[in-house]
Amino acid sequence: MSKFMRIIVFFDLPVMTKAQRKIATDFRKFMIDDGYYMIQFSVYGRLCNNFDNAQMHCRRLANYAPEEGSVRVMVVTEKQYANMYIVRGKVKCEEQKAEYYQLSFF
């Protein structure tokens, strides 16, 4: 049985110059193209099928992260993520609990 994992990325990138804004925009576009969704400003998440898949995406993210600023990554199980509660706001459709089913072959 596969254990779903969530990657949560927290980042704070400089955007004072045009070049810095382009780097920050390119980083956000990379994350969206790689399957991440925005949880809040500068906080993105991604669902992964298992721990190995999450580690692969973390390495990919580390290779693409800008040199300036701060980028932090946390990997949690789907159960841990589901225990998060929202004080204000609503759950986005991308954050719905991942369902998995056991397949049986006869």
Side-chain angles (χ1 to χ4, degrees), residues 13-14 23 27 62-71:
L13 302 177
I23 290 169
F27 182 63
N63 289 335
Y64 204 87
E67 293 293 321
E68 293 184 55
S70 174
V71 178

Side-chain angles (χ1 to χ4, degrees), residues 5 9 12 15-16 27 36 40 42-43 45 47 53-54 67 71 73 81 86-87 100 102:
M5 307 294 289
V9 181
D12 186 14
V15 291
M16 299 300 287
F27 182 63
Y36 291 85
Q40 290 182 196
S42 300
V43 180
L47 181 65
N53 185 251
E67 293 293 321
V71 178
V73 178
Y81 189 82
I86 298 174
V87 177
Y100 57 90
Q102 180 71 37

Side-chain angles (χ1 to χ4, degrees), residues 87-103:
V87 177
R88 295 268 188 273
K90 296 181 181 180
V91 175
K92 297 179 181 182
C93 63
E94 298 92 347
E95 295 181 274
Q96 298 299 323
K97 183 177 178 187
E99 298 290 335
Y100 57 90
Y101 303 95
Q102 180 71 37
L103 294 177

